[in-house]
Amino acid sequence: MDVIWFHDQSDLVHQYRYEKDYLKQQHLDYQGRTEFLRQNISRGNVALRLHHVRPSDEGKYRCYFARSTYNREAEFQVDVASTGSSPHLHIEGAGNKRVRVVCTSAGWYPEPEVHWRNQTEESLSQGTTISRKENGLFSVETSITVSADSKEIVSCVIENPLLSQKLEASVSLAGEFIVLGPQQPIIALVDRDVTFPCHLSPQLDAQHMDVIWFHDQSGLVHQYKYEKDYLKYQHLDYQERTEFLHENISRGNVALLLHRVRHSDEGKYRCYFASSTYNDEAEFQVYVASTGSTPHLQIEGAGNKRVRVVCTSAGWYPEPEVHWRNQTEESLSQGTTISRKENGLFSVETSINVSADSKEIVSCVIENPLLSQKLEASVSLAGLADPVIESCTARTGTFIRNPDSFAGLRMTKS
């Protein structure tokens, strides 16, 4: 059959003919934007996919099927919609001890509904201009004029009537706000990324504010000023490691993404906002953590018919907890050295001395107290001429072998 889609009675959107796409008479507006989906055409089931929808695509469409002796069509309506950009607020002087609060936004379709309200939900008188741009979408500029000594919080609300979606931005005319940061300490993992969120209450537009993160030891971590990143005074430790996330800044909601966490990033941070008339900050704690390498076991002679079982591991933060136990879960006396390396992470060397004819299975357990994560390695002391590594429970699930201590170690899972 011929299968054709028409727009508003006349424009040919797409045609299938002679068992293939036939686009000789396709309207210019649709060239390169249509895709005929015919996987189920043998059952009379097809569809047209339209790419990169435009406002001009709105209207009535007809889907038309024709064979040599008969034809039929169906008509349907297409409505086009777009929710615009987050409202942008700024305040201007208006003379006579009054100020003008201006709200702008772009990219709406169809024409949006606009209103202002205060914190008691009362509607406020406004002046609004809605204009249609060359791309067919609507832009909004709306404003209210209020007393310069007003203490109200006013909100600009723009709504898409078709989608029932609205965007809102608020500003305190008293110029006061509270900065809210993370309510619980943040645990950041070494060499990973971490996010520090902060927001304003009430929900205010912070695009024209200064926003700064400080670290109690290193100083200025990141600054946003003049509506862009301003890194002139950024501390060397944070250069090339910070990213300011400001997609929702018009609602006073921002975050700082810190890349490649280091142990030195631990400490107290402050998130600071400053407008032309007011400032506030929030403080929060960041802890840094790292779980080290899988424990490595080896057995050495210790004299007097005794052997020394040595356990080593590296890459821990903060300082780990270390203990030995046997198969009955009894703790064993140990000698442990924990040292801090140049990279700031901790290394462990711990050992126990036992009788050479012991038949016990002993386990070295190293735990990160901040993450409550532990790594464990075990060895059977039975038959030291041919010792067996009975089990190794670790993050990687691997079994540990030390070819330098004994030849031909046999590995078996417990």
Side-chain angles (χ1 to χ4, degrees):
M1 295 186 187
D2 280 4
V3 184
I4 311 174
W5 277 265
F6 294 100
H7 180 208
D8 280 343
Q9 310 302 321
S10 56
D11 293 344
L12 193 147
V13 179
H14 194 102
Q15 183 172 10
Y16 168 85
R17 191 177 188 185
Y18 306 130
E19 301 182 32
K20 62 182 180 181
D21 291 327
Y22 184 81
L23 305 180
K24 185 177 180 180
Q25 298 174 328
Q26 186 182 43
H27 193 279
L28 285 171
D29 283 351
Y30 295 96
Q31 288 182 8
R33 294 203 297 134
T34 58
E35 181 183 354
F36 184 54
L37 308 180
R38 57 180 131 173
Q39 289 84 352
N40 297 311
I41 196 170
S42 62
R43 291 180 292 187
N45 192 345
V46 298
L48 185 71
R49 177 175 290 152
L50 179 61
H51 298 282
H52 312 302
V53 169
R54 306 168 181 171
S56 58
D57 294 330
E58 189 167 76
K60 291 193 182 301
Y61 285 76
R62 288 181 296 128
C63 177
Y64 171 89
F65 284 67
R67 61 185 179 190
S68 57
T69 58
Y70 190 72
N71 64 74
R72 204 72 172 172
E73 66 180 33
E75 185 178 80
F76 57 96
Q77 175 69 32
V78 172
D79 293 320
V80 173
S82 174
T83 297
S85 59
S86 296
H88 175 84
L89 289 177
H90 68 275
I91 300 175
E92 306 172 346
N96 294 324
K97 296 184 179 180
R98 297 181 70 77
V99 293
R100 183 170 173 254
V101 188
V102 181
C103 173
T104 55
S105 179
W108 295 85
Y109 196 89
E111 184 173 323
E113 298 173 356
V114 181
H115 69 274
W116 291 80
R117 57 178 178 78
N118 59 18
Q119 62 265 48
T120 59
E121 299 295 324
E122 293 175 312
S123 292
L124 305 174
S125 179
Q126 66 193 46
T128 299
T129 300
I130 299 177
S131 56
R132 195 163 186 176
K133 302 302 181 182
E134 290 182 4
N135 61 5
L137 304 180
F138 291 94
S139 290
V140 174
E141 179 172 317
T142 180
S143 65
I144 57 171
T145 301
V146 295
S147 171
D149 58 5
S150 172
K151 304 299 183 185
E152 285 190 308
I153 297 171
V154 295
S155 301
C156 169
V157 184
I158 308 177
E159 182 172 5
N160 185 309
L162 190 60
L163 299 176
S164 297
Q165 291 179 346
K166 64 182 178 181
L167 299 181
E168 180 175 341
S170 302
V171 63
S172 170
L173 299 174
E176 297 179 7
F177 50 80
I178 297 171
V179 178
L180 299 174
Q183 300 303 298
Q184 300 294 329
I186 292 175
I187 297 178
L189 302 181
V190 170
D191 289 329
R192 303 286 289 274
D193 295 349
V194 65
T195 301
F196 304 149
C198 283
H199 67 278
L200 298 180
S201 179
Q203 190 180 85
L204 305 176
D205 187 351
Q207 292 181 82
H208 299 291
M209 296 187 187
D210 281 7
V211 185
I212 311 175
W213 277 265
F214 294 99
H215 181 214
D216 61 352
Q217 300 297 324
S218 302
L220 195 148
V221 178
H222 194 102
Q223 183 172 11
Y224 167 88
K225 190 175 186 177
Y226 308 127
E227 301 183 40
K228 62 183 179 181
D229 290 328
Y230 184 79
L231 305 180
K232 182 177 179 179
Y233 301 107
Q234 185 180 46
H235 193 279
L236 286 172
D237 285 350
Y238 294 96
Q239 287 181 8
E240 306 297 332
R241 291 204 298 136
T242 58
E243 182 180 348
F244 184 52
L245 309 179
H246 51 85
E247 293 81 3
N248 297 310
I249 194 170
S250 63
R251 292 179 294 194
N253 195 344
V254 298
L256 185 71
L257 180 61
L258 178 61
H259 298 286
R260 303 179 298 280
V261 167
R262 305 170 181 171
H263 74 92
S264 58
D265 295 329
E266 188 166 82
K268 289 192 183 300
Y269 285 75
R270 289 180 294 125
C271 177
Y272 170 90
F273 284 69
S275 69
S276 59
T277 59
Y278 193 75
N279 63 77
D280 191 38
E281 66 183 26
E283 186 177 79
F284 57 96
Q285 176 70 42
V286 173
Y287 294 111
V288 173
S290 175
T291 297
S293 60
T294 302
H296 176 85
L297 289 178
Q298 66 182 45
I299 301 175
E300 304 171 348
N304 295 324
K305 295 183 180 181
R306 297 184 69 77
V307 294
R308 182 170 176 253
V309 186
V310 182
C311 174
T312 55
S313 180
W316 295 85
Y317 197 88
E319 184 172 322
E321 298 173 356
V322 182
H323 68 274
W324 290 82
R325 58 178 176 78
N326 59 18
Q327 62 265 46
T328 60
E329 299 294 325
E330 295 176 309
S331 292
L332 305 176
S333 179
Q334 67 192 47
T336 299
T337 300
I338 299 177
S339 58
R340 196 161 185 177
K341 302 302 181 183
E342 289 182 3
N343 62 3
L345 305 183
F346 292 93
S347 289
V348 174
E349 180 173 315
T350 181
S351 64
I352 56 171
N353 287 337
V354 295
S355 170
D357 58 4
S358 171
K359 307 299 183 185
E360 286 188 307
I361 297 172
V362 294
S363 300
C364 169
V365 183
I366 308 177
E367 183 172 4
N368 186 310
L370 191 60
L371 299 176
S372 298
Q373 291 179 348
K374 64 183 179 181
L375 301 185
E376 179 176 345
S378 302
V379 62
S380 171
L381 301 175
L384 287 180
D386 189 17
V388 176
I389 300 292
E390 291 291 352
S391 69
C392 172
T393 305
R395 179 177 53 183
T396 60
T398 58
F399 286 79
I400 300 170
R401 179 175 181 180
N402 179 17
D404 298 327
S405 296
F406 295 93
L409 294 180
R410 292 189 290 109
M411 308 298 179
T412 60
K413 294 181 180 178
S414 64

